[in-house]
Amino acid sequence: METAKNRHGLTVLAGPTAVGKGTVSTYIRDHYPHVRLSISATTRAPRPGEEDGVHYFFVTPGRFDELVASGQMLEWAVVHGKNRYGTLRSTVEQAVSDGKAVLLEIDLQGARQVREQMPEANFVFLAPPSWEEMVGRLVGRGTETTDEQQRRLETAKLELAAESEFDHTVINDNVPRAAAELVSLMGLTPTTHP
Ligand code: 5GP
């Protein structure tokens, strides 16, 4: 059944650090080409294998300032007290006017800003099966320093408490299953296109 929420076409996926938001959205990019994923701008440096314009638009702090000052950011935030990340307003407006279902995978501060401007969007919280599993994922990833891991865990504790602000919760117990549930919450048929 179509609801006011899924007619809008914009779904925001947020959740605690290291819950696997990036893995679920990568799975969706690879298996559900009918879902349009918003590409964020960030001041963070690319990790090995990340491409400009595919994973993020990697920009300088000066360019990020310009995007904010000229009102081109729908939302933006400093994530983990370090780098800036933001959603370009044009990406969302274009997808919504094309009638496409668009997914924003952003942090909690960003999700709150989108809710202020677009309360009719669909807000989905991705939750870990357990706290222990989430810590294991963060430490196991091995891409951040110990200090950075500690910073991310502090952020994650605060973020877990935000679940009640969301319309739906999806538990990331299994990536393909969680991705299928998310796609169906977007009002799309969760049929994969390998
Ligand atoms: P990473 O550096 O691991 O790619 O991403 C770190 C965090 O930044 C993730 O929690 C991700 O959800 C968040 N993030 C990515 N893009 C955006 C964005 O456009 N806006 C906001 N607010 N957060 C973002």
Side-chain angles (χ1 to χ4, degrees), residues 8 17 23 27 30 38 64 88 93 118 132 134 150 171 177-179 183 186 188-189:
H8 184 266
T17 302
T23 314
Y27 187 90
D30 294 346
S38 164
F64 202 99
L88 293 161
E93 285 170 357
M118 299 176 139
E132 289 71 25
M134 199 168 72
Q150 201 51 44
I171 296 181
R177 193 211 62 76
V183 169
M186 293 180 77
L188 299 169
T189 313

Side-chain angles (χ1 to χ4, degrees), residues 13-18 21-22 38-42 44-45 47 50 55-56 58 64 73 75-80 83-88 104-111 113-114 141 143-144 148 152 159:
L13 179 69
T17 302
K21 295 188 299 283
S38 164
I39 302 168
S40 300
T42 183
R44 152 163 103 55
R47 294 191 184 120
E50 285 184 336
H55 300 91
Y56 284 103
F58 295 100
F64 202 99
M73 289 299 195
E75 61 75 32
W76 70 273
V78 176
V79 180
H80 310 306
N83 294 302
R84 285 180 287 168
Y85 297 79
T87 305
L88 293 161
L104 307 188
E105 185 258 289
I106 61 178
D107 89 318
L108 185 62
Q109 311 164 72
Q113 293 172 45
V114 177
R141 189 155 76 179
T143 47
E144 288 85 25
E148 176 67 14
R152 288 182 175 219
E159 288 180 334

Side-chain angles (χ1 to χ4, degrees), residues 19-28 105 141 172 175:
V19 72
K21 295 188 299 283
T23 314
V24 170
S25 60
T26 300
Y27 187 90
I28 288 178
E105 185 258 289
R141 189 155 76 179
N172 190 17
V175 172

Side-chain angles (χ1 to χ4, degrees), residues 18-188:
V19 72
K21 295 188 299 283
T23 314
V24 170
S25 60
T26 300
Y27 187 90
I28 288 178
R29 192 181 60 220
D30 294 346
H31 294 85
Y32 298 96
H34 53 314
V35 174
R36 195 176 287 186
L37 268 168
S38 164
I39 302 168
S40 300
T42 183
T43 58
R44 152 163 103 55
R47 294 191 184 120
E50 285 184 336
E51 278 178 57
D52 188 44
V54 176
H55 300 91
Y56 284 103
F57 295 112
F58 295 100
V59 299
T60 61
R63 175 70 186 135
F64 202 99
D65 288 342
E66 279 171 20
L67 291 168
V68 173
S70 58
Q72 293 183 65
M73 289 299 195
L74 173 64
E75 61 75 32
W76 70 273
V78 176
V79 180
H80 310 306
K82 231 175 140 195
N83 294 302
R84 285 180 287 168
Y85 297 79
T87 305
L88 293 161
R89 204 177 279 284
S90 56
T91 306
V92 173
E93 285 170 357
Q94 186 64 52
V96 170
S97 76
D98 288 354
K100 299 281 183 198
V102 63
L103 181 64
L104 307 188
E105 185 258 289
I106 61 178
D107 89 318
L108 185 62
Q109 311 164 72
R112 288 180 175 140
Q113 293 172 45
V114 177
R115 180 151 15 78
E116 274 170 28
Q117 300 181 63
M118 299 176 139
E120 68 282 22
N122 198 12
F123 293 87
V124 180
F125 189 82
L126 191 68
S130 68
W131 171 255
E132 289 71 25
E133 179 140 342
M134 199 168 72
V135 173
R137 283 182 200 184
L138 180 56
V139 173
R141 189 155 76 179
T143 47
E144 288 85 25
T145 62
T146 310
D147 272 6
E148 176 67 14
Q149 285 172 3
Q150 201 51 44
R151 218 177 4 240
R152 288 182 175 219
L153 282 176
E154 291 304 319
T155 309
K157 277 186 207 156
L158 293 174
E159 288 180 334
L160 267 182
E163 181 181 348
S164 61
E165 298 171 25
F166 285 73
D167 298 316
H168 306 281
T169 294
V170 170
I171 296 181
N172 190 17
D173 47 1
N174 167 289
V175 172
R177 193 211 62 76
E181 186 179 350
L182 178 62
V183 169
S184 83
L185 285 171
M186 293 180 77
L188 299 169

